[in-house]
């Protein structure tokens, strides 16, 4: 039969797409259904019909999958934060491992992949040390905060997120009460008017230090001392700032940070290394798993103390400083100047003198230092953004001929593509392991070790 929009069909979900949608067939026609899980028998309504496939909305779970669990969050389906909270955690780990393996096979052409078991969490909730809550007005004129619904800028009111630090709820209540009591307006994206745009909260899981930063469409907060008086009652409060963002943009943070109370940063540890974190710093959001991820990268690097290591896309030096504990010398390269300032400050904070940092593109900095100073690489570590390594960067790695390349990836599709490039030019994949940094979501990090083939 020919399926059309608004038809309601019964579908057995046989697979899940990379972004967590359930996949099933109705009369041989493939359907993608959000919130449906492998093993579910569901009733779904067709929303969009293409030539060979379509998208449908989950209406009813007729027979639940054996891996279906009750989500902790009451607004799980509306909120865009989690995609697979209704899937049992062990099944989530299997899904992520399958996703990584599938990308390596399909995109990379690797048939015999030495993947080690995925690194999961003992407690896959309340793991995020950072949260950014948009602020707005609901239909009844009340100030609300929460998270955006999937693929929209409509705020789902929610102050209790099961992924964030538990103190977040108390902080949000304090800010909302302050805004209502002193008539502090919420920003309106449509008109560009209103003051408070976002509430950014960062928590040091090891240090216990807390940062609250209000992103404002203006230069200051009215009655700021009243807000400070309430926030400093919360144990661990260390930094209260405003971030100035007066632009009509979807970018959350502006460039200027103004101190209201305390310091402009908090500190936290990953292993033995202390990091200074400002509102603008990039810092991994899951400190428990970050330590496991970096320890895996360090194990793969197999440093004996005499190696020169290059860390490309080094950010604020998180991996560089970890590597510096075992290497002779580490050189970090990053295109963002502010991140390199943070990296140098973090090296000084930890009395690490065998790490140097350079601003620029890896493909430019590496050859220059190689030619001018004779600096080579025994080991190269890369941790690129989601789009993967720039091809010129990969070319440079091949030219530098390091014995080992450790690739840390937040997208196994671009990882597979880049590994293929390197393996066609003298390298082979020796080890690989996924690490679940983002439980309840479809995202997964992967570490891979490549070694030079004997010539």
């Amino acid at each position: 039969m020919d399926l059309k929009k608004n038809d309601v069909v019964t579908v057995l979900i046989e697979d899940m797409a990379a972004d967590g949608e359930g996949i099933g067939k109705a009369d041989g026609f493939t359907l993608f259904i959000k919130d449906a899980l492998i093993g579910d028998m569901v009733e779904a309504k067709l929303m969009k019909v293409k030539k060979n496939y379509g998208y449908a909305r989950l209406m009813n779970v007729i027979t639940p999958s054996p891996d279906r669990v009750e989500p902790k969050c009451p607004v799980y389906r509306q909120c865009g934060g989690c995609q697979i909270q209704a899937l049992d955690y062990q099944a989530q780990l299997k899904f992520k491992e399958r996703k990584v393996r599938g990308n390596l096979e399909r995109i990379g052409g690797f048939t015999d992949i030495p993947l080690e078991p995925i690194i999961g969490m003992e407690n896959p909730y309340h793991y995020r040390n950072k949260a950014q809550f948009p602020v707005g007005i609901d239909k009844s004129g009340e100030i609300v905060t929460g998270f955006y619904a999937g693929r929209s800028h409509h705020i789902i009111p929610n102050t209790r997120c099961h992924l964030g630090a538990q103190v977040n709820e108390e902080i949000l209540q304090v800010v909302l009460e302050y805004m209502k009591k002193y008539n502090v307006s919420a920003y309106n994206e449509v008109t560009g008017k209103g003051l408070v745009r976002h509430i950014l909260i960062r928590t040091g899981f090891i240090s216990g230090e807390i940062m609250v930063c209000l992103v404002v469409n203006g230069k200051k907060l009215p009655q700021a001392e009243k807000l400070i008086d309430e926030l400093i009652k919360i144990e661990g409060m260390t930094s209260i700032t405003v971030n100035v963002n007066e632009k009509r943009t979807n970018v959350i943070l502006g460039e200027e940070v103004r101190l209201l109370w305390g310091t402009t940063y908090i500190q936290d540890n990953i292993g033995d290394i202390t990091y200074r974190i400002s509102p603008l710093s990039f810092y991994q959001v899951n400190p428990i798993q970050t330590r496991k991820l970096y320890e895996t990268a360090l194990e793969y690097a197999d440093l004996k103390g005499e190696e020169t290591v290059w860390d490309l896309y080094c950010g604020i030096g998180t991996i560089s400083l970890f590597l510096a504990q075992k290497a002779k010398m580490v050189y970090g390269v990053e295109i963002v100047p502010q991140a390199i300032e943070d990296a140098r400050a973090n090296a000084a904070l930890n009395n690490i003198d065998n790490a140097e940092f350079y601003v620029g593109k890896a493909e430019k900095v590496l050859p220059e230092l190689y030619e001018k100073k004779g600096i080579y690489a025994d080991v190269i570590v890369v941790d690129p953004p989601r789009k993967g390594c720039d091809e010129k960067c990969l070319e440079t790695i091949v030219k530098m001929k390091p014995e080992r390349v450790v690739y840390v990836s937040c997208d196994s599709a671009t990882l597979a593509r880049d590994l293929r490039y390197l393996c066609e030019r003298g390298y082979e994949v020796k080890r690989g392991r996924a690490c679940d940094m983002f439980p309840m979501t479809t995202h997964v990090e992967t570490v891979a070790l490549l070694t030079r083939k004997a010539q």
Side-chain angles (χ1 to χ4, degrees):
M1 73 179 195
D2 283 337
L3 293 172
K4 58 189 184 302
K5 190 178 175 182
N6 296 327
D7 280 353
V8 175
V9 291
T10 301
V11 184
L12 173 66
I13 304 301
E14 297 175 60
D15 202 355
M16 278 168 68
D19 57 2
E21 293 165 318
I23 304 173
K25 285 195 163 92
D27 290 330
F29 187 74
T30 300
L31 290 175
F32 293 87
I33 306 168
K34 184 180 170 291
D35 302 319
L37 309 174
I38 295 177
D40 277 344
M41 179 70 79
V42 302
E43 194 174 58
K45 183 179 183 178
L46 269 72
M47 306 308 292
K48 197 183 280 186
V49 179
K50 303 277 190 182
K51 191 179 173 189
N52 299 316
Y53 64 95
Y55 295 92
R57 178 185 291 156
L58 177 64
M59 304 300 285
N60 182 27
V61 178
I62 300 165
T63 312
S65 162
D67 293 322
R68 182 174 277 279
V69 294
E70 187 61 39
K72 285 195 175 194
C73 178
V75 293
Y76 148 72
R77 277 188 68 182
Q78 299 104 290
C79 175
C82 297
Q83 298 87 43
I84 52 174
Q85 203 183 119
L87 188 62
D88 173 76
Y89 186 58
Q90 293 309 311
Q92 288 186 30
L93 294 177
K94 284 180 191 157
F95 162 73
K96 293 185 183 193
E97 213 163 24
R98 208 166 55 240
K99 174 176 165 174
V100 171
R101 191 178 291 280
N103 280 334
L104 289 171
E105 286 175 357
R106 199 180 68 257
I107 300 165
F110 299 101
T111 48
D112 186 20
I113 308 157
L115 269 190
E116 292 152 31
I118 187 169
I119 305 167
M121 293 195 77
E122 278 175 44
N123 173 20
Y125 294 98
H126 300 296
Y127 61 79
R128 286 187 64 96
N129 59 15
K130 174 188 173 188
Q132 297 174 143
F133 296 89
V135 180
I137 301 282
D138 69 10
K139 285 173 185 164
S140 62
E142 281 289 304
I143 294 173
V144 293
T145 186
F147 290 106
Y148 292 128
R151 297 194 181 103
S152 83
H153 269 229
H154 169 65
I155 298 172
I156 305 293
N158 181 24
T159 54
R160 181 180 291 180
C161 172
H162 291 276
L163 302 192
Q166 288 175 295
V167 72
N168 290 357
E169 186 174 12
E170 188 182 350
I171 293 166
L172 294 174
Q173 297 294 0
V174 166
V175 176
L176 289 174
E177 279 170 33
Y178 149 78
M179 288 180 70
K180 288 166 190 173
K181 189 170 180 181
Y182 298 101
N183 294 318
V184 179
S185 59
Y187 181 70
N188 183 320
E189 282 192 343
V190 179
T191 63
K193 303 276 191 269
L195 186 64
V196 180
R197 301 172 73 129
H198 275 81
I199 304 162
L200 165 66
I201 306 170
R202 300 185 100 143
T203 309
F205 277 31
I206 305 297
S207 67
E209 296 182 0
I210 297 168
M211 167 190 293
V212 177
C213 176
L214 268 61
V215 183
V216 296
N217 176 38
K219 294 282 191 276
K220 59 182 185 178
L221 277 178
Q223 306 275 357
E225 66 285 354
K226 304 286 198 253
L227 175 62
I228 293 164
D229 289 345
E230 293 306 312
L231 285 175
I232 61 176
K233 291 176 186 173
I234 297 169
E235 190 182 346
M237 193 57 63
T238 304
S239 167
I240 306 173
T241 58
V242 293
N243 173 269
V244 179
N245 182 359
E246 297 177 297
K247 293 179 180 171
R248 297 285 291 270
T249 172
N250 284 342
V251 176
I252 293 172
L253 293 167
E255 287 168 20
E256 185 187 349
V257 175
R258 295 186 166 199
L259 180 65
L260 294 180
W261 180 88
T263 54
T264 54
Y265 58 85
I266 60 171
Q267 292 187 169
D268 203 22
N269 288 61
I270 300 173
D272 296 329
I273 306 292
T274 303
Y275 298 93
R276 183 173 289 183
I277 309 148
S278 76
L280 299 171
S281 297
F282 172 79
Y283 187 68
Q284 293 280 13
V285 299
N286 184 336
I288 298 156
Q289 293 298 88
T290 296
R291 179 172 183 170
K292 294 176 189 173
L293 181 77
Y294 288 0
E295 282 171 349
T296 304
L298 194 56
E299 181 192 330
Y300 283 14
D302 192 26
L303 302 175
K304 302 286 190 277
E306 291 305 310
E307 295 87 354
T308 298
V309 182
W310 279 93
D311 177 14
L312 313 185
Y313 310 95
C314 71
I316 64 165
T318 39
I319 294 183
S320 307
L321 301 183
F322 231 70
L323 296 165
Q325 298 172 97
K326 296 280 179 76
K328 182 181 179 183
M329 193 69 201
V330 177
Y331 298 94
V333 185
E334 171 61 60
I335 200 161
V336 181
Q338 175 66 45
I340 289 295
E341 279 177 39
D342 286 347
R344 288 171 182 153
N346 285 326
L349 189 66
N350 291 280
N351 299 312
I352 290 172
D353 55 11
N354 62 330
E356 283 182 18
F357 297 96
Y358 296 90
V359 177
K361 288 186 172 180
E363 61 270 16
K364 207 161 173 241
V365 174
L366 259 74
E368 272 178 17
L369 290 171
Y370 181 60
E371 284 155 26
K372 287 181 189 170
K373 298 188 180 178
I375 297 170
Y376 60 96
D378 296 305
V379 179
I380 288 181
V381 177
V382 291
D383 184 5
R386 197 163 291 283
K387 66 180 187 210
C389 288
D390 187 290
E391 194 169 321
K392 284 224 164 36
C393 178
L394 292 172
E395 268 175 36
T396 306
I397 291 171
V398 172
K399 263 188 220 157
M400 298 281 283
K401 296 181 178 171
E403 285 304 312
R404 293 182 294 289
V405 177
V406 179
Y407 195 132
V408 181
S409 166
C410 59
D411 185 341
S412 54
T414 53
L415 168 71
R417 179 200 69 202
D418 292 351
L419 293 186
R420 182 174 189 155
Y421 180 99
L422 292 170
C423 288
E424 286 167 353
R425 290 161 179 81
Y427 284 85
E428 58 187 331
V429 180
K430 283 289 188 190
R431 300 176 73 180
R433 192 165 198 185
C435 180
D436 188 22
M437 298 274 282
F438 312 101
M440 310 300 140
T441 80
T442 56
H443 302 296
V444 61
E445 298 265 333
T446 312
V447 189
L449 168 67
L450 299 103
T451 58
R452 276 185 76 206
K453 290 178 196 160
Q455 300 298 313

